[in-house]
Amino acid sequence: MFERAIGAHWDAHLARMVEFWSTVALGTRSYRGDVFGKHMALEGVTPAHFAAWVRLWAEHTSRLFAPETARELQVLAHGMARNLFRGLFGQLPDFAEAHAHPAH
């Protein structure tokens, strides 16, 4: 799916992802774009893709950051995933309930 959507433009996409997450997590306002619209246009996205992405995000943020920082990034990512999932499938994902009220 990613190869079909991004092709040989991984470097440019990675730069956009850095801008996006820098804006979301750090408030840099370096990202300008339509994440929702771009992702809604993708064909072939399934609930399993979201589950894999949320799992990988949690795994890597837990490995790379202090627990408090990792948890903050995971909450942000769950919100983003929840909104995209609802836009694509018209309902909340199964993982939304588990993280609706994050522990502090």
Side-chain angles (χ1 to χ4, degrees):
M1 177 180 59
F2 291 115
E3 192 63 32
R4 188 171 61 241
I6 298 170
H9 304 287
W10 278 101
D11 289 342
H13 189 67
L14 179 58
R16 296 288 288 160
M17 288 190 302
V18 168
E19 289 174 352
F20 174 78
W21 286 105
S22 175
T23 295
V24 171
L26 303 174
T28 63
R29 298 183 181 185
S30 58
Y31 179 79
R32 299 280 187 266
D34 180 13
V35 171
F36 193 80
K38 291 284 187 182
H39 287 84
M40 292 301 104
L42 293 174
E43 294 181 18
V45 178
T46 68
H49 289 114
F50 281 88
W53 183 78
V54 167
R55 179 184 50 78
L56 288 168
W57 184 269
E59 177 184 316
H60 291 287
T61 53
S62 292
R63 180 175 54 83
L64 294 169
F65 299 100
E68 316 78 52
T69 302
R71 182 69 183 143
E72 289 175 20
L73 291 169
Q74 291 162 11
V75 168
L76 289 170
H78 273 265
M80 181 60 56
R82 197 171 39 251
N83 289 338
L84 290 172
F85 192 101
R86 185 175 22 218
L88 282 168
F89 304 112
Q91 64 187 36
L92 288 175
D94 291 340
F95 64 78
E97 286 303 312
H99 295 281
H101 306 287
H104 296 290

